[in-house]
Amino acid sequence: MEIQLWRELLVPYELAVQELIVKFEHMIKQYQQAGLYSPIEQVHGRVKKISSILAKAKRKGISNDEIKEKIDDIAGIRLICQFVDDIDQVVEIIRNRSDMTVLNEIDYIHQPKASGYSSYHINISYEVMTIYGNIRIPVEIQIRTLAMNFWATIEHSLKYKYQGNMPLEISQRLMASANAVRALDGEMSSIRDDVVDAQQLFREKAVMVADILNNLDNLHKQYASSEDAIKNIQEEFQRIYDHGTLDELQEFSQRLDRLAANRNTQSLTSV
Ligand code: 0O2
């Protein structure tokens, strides 16, 4: 196939990848804005390079005409989670989406590949709108932890370097490090609740502080003539931010909200 035809063939795959990246990134943003823990930490996506498609087709004995229907990871999305437990939640989210039809799932987490590779794969069919009409594109979604991703990235580079002739010593080391990744993910799972709590508190505080700064900024504009009162509020904020509890910060934030809503100088002095 000519290079121009390949480019045309890949256009809807690029659209699918771009749309899905936006959707999953937006999901992270929504969790963050709601002050909630996001089971997805990072989103990556790519359309397979033409050379890799051809190499895979050759490796699997697939003819050029069969590539579109038989290679199901031309469009690929990778969702990286912090903890193994998050993966189940992400799988559930995908299963429940009305814009993604699950075609099949492979659990390389409970049954890692011989190489040591572990990840959860979901193949979906995703509809994109093109100038020629709507087309359903197969997309492979790989869901894995940060640790699994680290291992897979290193192993992928070594596999590429040795082109199928990986020295036994290297593959044994990779297998040992795959076991170490599993142990690390297991350890991290056992302290997941503590980590999630700590991150949650940090996020709540960040959202609250952003709110407070926004209100202070508005008060500055509204009550430019009451410099002293504003100064007092700022000092109180600084004291609570430096030494106060999250509850005190929340109570202060609510007072500022009320003040911003009241919009009268009398309440300013009573803050
Ligand atoms: P790339 O460059 O990442 O796109 P297979 O015949 O097992 O190679 P198959 O049947 O297409 O692959 O399905 P599978 O097992 O779901 O693998 C698809 C993708 O999963 C691979 O794409 C890799 O991205 C990843 N993967 C699978 N096995 C391994 C592994 O042992 N190590 C690493 N690092 N990644 C793996 P590609 O086309 O192989 O590569």
Side-chain angles (χ1 to χ4, degrees), residues 46 48 52 56 59-60 72-73 78 106 108 113 115-117 121 123 140 142 144 151-153 155-156 159:
R46 62 98 183 96
K48 224 177 176 63
S52 303
K56 189 161 187 167
R59 182 158 52 88
K60 295 189 156 236
D72 52 13
D73 67 343
R78 198 164 280 160
I106 313 177
Y108 292 128
K113 283 191 142 184
S115 60
Y117 175 78
H121 290 195
N123 290 93
E140 182 179 87
Q142 302 179 343
R144 48 171 86 148
W151 184 93
T153 307
E155 195 261 2
H156 192 273
K159 217 157 60 178

Side-chain angles (χ1 to χ4, degrees), residues 202-221:
F202 181 78
R203 259 190 307 276
E204 276 176 28
K205 189 169 179 180
V207 170
M208 231 177 268
V209 168
D211 244 26
I212 290 172
L213 292 176
N214 189 34
N215 269 337
L216 281 175
D217 194 38
N218 286 338
L219 286 174
H220 252 304
K221 287 173 195 149

Side-chain angles (χ1 to χ4, degrees), residues 236-254:
E236 187 180 358
F237 166 57
Q238 198 60 53
R239 185 185 58 72
I240 297 174
Y241 181 79
D242 289 339
H243 308 291
T245 62
L246 201 62
D247 284 347
E248 283 173 301
L249 197 62
Q250 186 165 27
E251 195 270 330
F252 178 79
S253 173
Q254 284 164 352

